[in-house]
Amino acid sequence: KLDGYRTVDLTCAYEFHLRTRQQTKMTIFLSGKNLTDEVYKASRLHRVSSGIMPGGFRQFNAGLRITI
């Protein structure tokens, strides 16, 4: 049995339309996972390796989504 844990995750997104083409929509987003960078024990089932492993290191993702 593994101990319980908590993580702090945050996602922000901003959506806008281009002036030249009102039908073109753009979304900018930024996401952060495990912002406190707490290392915890996680059980993983995987074909290559299984067992108790550290889980959830701090991670940031950003991107731009364009819808035409």
Side-chain angles (χ1 to χ4, degrees), residues 1-19:
K1 185 174 180 179
L2 298 174
D3 296 332
Y5 61 89
R6 293 182 189 175
T7 61
V8 178
D9 302 337
L10 179 67
T11 299
C12 296
Y14 181 71
E15 181 179 297
F16 59 96
H17 295 269
L18 294 178
R19 287 186 180 182

Side-chain angles (χ1 to χ4, degrees), residues 3 6 9 15 21 24 27 29 33 38 41 43-44 46-48 50 55 57-58 61 63 67:
D3 296 332
R6 293 182 189 175
D9 302 337
E15 181 179 297
R21 298 182 187 181
T24 302
T27 305
F29 63 90
K33 297 180 181 181
E38 298 288 330
K41 296 175 188 171
S43 176
R44 298 195 178 169
H46 195 275
R47 289 190 302 171
V48 176
S50 299
F57 296 101
R58 185 182 296 142
N61 297 303
T67 306

